[in-house]
mmCIF file of all heavy atoms in Angstrom:
data_model
loop_
_atom_site.group_PDB
_atom_site.id
_atom_site.type_symbol
_atom_site.label_atom_id
_atom_site.label_comp_id
_atom_site.label_asym_id
_atom_site.label_seq_id
_atom_site.Cartn_x
_atom_site.Cartn_y
_atom_site.Cartn_z
ATOM 1 N N ARG A 1024 -8.215 31.568 -2.376
ATOM 2 C CA ARG A 1024 -6.958 31.164 -3.015
ATOM 3 C C ARG A 1024 -5.782 31.310 -2.047
ATOM 4 O O ARG A 1024 -4.862 30.486 -2.049
ATOM 5 C CB ARG A 1024 -6.716 31.977 -4.284
ATOM 6 C CG ARG A 1024 -7.685 31.663 -5.421
ATOM 7 C CD ARG A 1024 -7.644 30.192 -5.797
ATOM 8 N NE ARG A 1024 -8.557 29.874 -6.900
ATOM 9 C CZ ARG A 1024 -9.026 28.677 -7.159
ATOM 10 N NH1 ARG A 1024 -8.672 27.643 -6.385
ATOM 11 N NH2 ARG A 1024 -9.849 28.463 -8.159
ATOM 12 N N ALA A 1025 -5.785 32.328 -1.217
ATOM 13 C CA ALA A 1025 -4.734 32.474 -0.210
ATOM 14 C C ALA A 1025 -4.820 31.347 0.812
ATOM 15 O O ALA A 1025 -3.796 30.777 1.224
ATOM 16 C CB ALA A 1025 -4.833 33.826 0.483
ATOM 17 N N ALA A 1026 -6.043 31.016 1.212
ATOM 18 C CA ALA A 1026 -6.222 29.918 2.168
ATOM 19 C C ALA A 1026 -5.786 28.594 1.553
ATOM 20 O O ALA A 1026 -5.129 27.772 2.210
ATOM 21 C CB ALA A 1026 -7.685 29.851 2.593
ATOM 22 N N GLU A 1027 -6.130 28.386 0.292
ATOM 23 C CA GLU A 1027 -5.756 27.161 -0.404
ATOM 24 C C GLU A 1027 -4.238 27.024 -0.498
ATOM 25 O O GLU A 1027 -3.677 25.936 -0.262
ATOM 26 C CB GLU A 1027 -6.381 27.187 -1.803
ATOM 27 C CG GLU A 1027 -6.241 25.919 -2.592
ATOM 28 C CD GLU A 1027 -6.947 26.037 -3.947
ATOM 29 O OE1 GLU A 1027 -6.469 26.825 -4.808
ATOM 30 O OE2 GLU A 1027 -7.965 25.358 -4.139
ATOM 31 N N THR A 1028 -3.567 28.126 -0.813
ATOM 32 C CA THR A 1028 -2.102 28.108 -0.893
ATOM 33 C C THR A 1028 -1.488 27.773 0.469
ATOM 34 O O THR A 1028 -0.527 26.987 0.559
ATOM 35 C CB THR A 1028 -1.581 29.468 -1.386
ATOM 36 O OG1 THR A 1028 -2.077 29.715 -2.703
ATOM 37 C CG2 THR A 1028 -0.064 29.504 -1.410
ATOM 38 N N ALA A 1029 -2.048 28.360 1.527
ATOM 39 C CA ALA A 1029 -1.536 28.093 2.873
ATOM 40 C C ALA A 1029 -1.732 26.628 3.247
ATOM 41 O O ALA A 1029 -0.842 25.988 3.826
ATOM 42 C CB ALA A 1029 -2.224 28.997 3.887
ATOM 43 N N LEU A 1030 -2.881 26.056 2.907
ATOM 44 C CA LEU A 1030 -3.131 24.645 3.208
ATOM 45 C C LEU A 1030 -2.189 23.740 2.425
ATOM 46 O O LEU A 1030 -1.701 22.733 2.942
ATOM 47 C CB LEU A 1030 -4.578 24.289 2.888
ATOM 48 C CG LEU A 1030 -5.661 24.881 3.790
ATOM 49 C CD1 LEU A 1030 -7.041 24.504 3.275
ATOM 50 C CD2 LEU A 1030 -5.493 24.443 5.237
ATOM 51 N N ASN A 1031 -1.926 24.112 1.188
ATOM 52 C CA ASN A 1031 -1.071 23.274 0.342
ATOM 53 C C ASN A 1031 0.406 23.378 0.700
ATOM 54 O O ASN A 1031 1.233 22.640 0.150
ATOM 55 C CB ASN A 1031 -1.288 23.608 -1.125
ATOM 56 C CG ASN A 1031 -2.555 22.994 -1.674
ATOM 57 O OD1 ASN A 1031 -2.974 21.922 -1.236
ATOM 58 N ND2 ASN A 1031 -3.191 23.663 -2.633
ATOM 59 N N ALA A 1032 0.737 24.267 1.643
ATOM 60 C CA ALA A 1032 2.110 24.305 2.151
ATOM 61 C C ALA A 1032 2.389 23.090 3.038
ATOM 62 O O ALA A 1032 3.552 22.766 3.304
ATOM 63 C CB ALA A 1032 2.347 25.594 2.942
ATOM 64 N N TYR A 1033 1.319 22.427 3.488
ATOM 65 C CA TYR A 1033 1.470 21.200 4.260
ATOM 66 C C TYR A 1033 1.527 20.009 3.299
ATOM 67 O O TYR A 1033 0.907 20.037 2.230
ATOM 68 C CB TYR A 1033 0.291 21.024 5.224
ATOM 69 C CG TYR A 1033 0.221 22.069 6.298
ATOM 70 C CD1 TYR A 1033 -0.528 23.237 6.108
ATOM 71 C CD2 TYR A 1033 0.899 21.912 7.498
ATOM 72 C CE1 TYR A 1033 -0.592 24.207 7.088
ATOM 73 C CE2 TYR A 1033 0.834 22.875 8.492
ATOM 74 C CZ TYR A 1033 0.090 24.026 8.282
ATOM 75 O OH TYR A 1033 0.032 24.994 9.252
ATOM 76 N N PRO A 1034 2.212 18.941 3.673
ATOM 77 C CA PRO A 1034 2.312 17.764 2.793
ATOM 78 C C PRO A 1034 1.071 16.882 2.879
ATOM 79 O O PRO A 1034 0.900 16.103 3.815
ATOM 80 C CB PRO A 1034 3.559 17.041 3.317
ATOM 81 C CG PRO A 1034 3.684 17.475 4.744
ATOM 82 C CD PRO A 1034 3.102 18.840 4.852
ATOM 83 N N HIS A 1035 0.197 17.003 1.882
ATOM 84 C CA HIS A 1035 -1.018 16.204 1.810
ATOM 85 C C HIS A 1035 -0.763 14.940 0.997
ATOM 86 O O HIS A 1035 0.017 14.942 0.038
ATOM 87 C CB HIS A 1035 -2.142 17.000 1.136
ATOM 88 C CG HIS A 1035 -2.588 18.202 1.889
ATOM 89 N ND1 HIS A 1035 -3.724 18.217 2.664
ATOM 90 C CD2 HIS A 1035 -2.055 19.451 1.978
ATOM 91 C CE1 HIS A 1035 -3.877 19.415 3.206
ATOM 92 N NE2 HIS A 1035 -2.867 20.178 2.807
#
Side-chain angles (χ1 to χ4, degrees):
R1024 291 302 181 202
E1027 188 178 68
T1028 298
L1030 290 176
N1031 282 329
Y1033 295 92
H1035 295 260

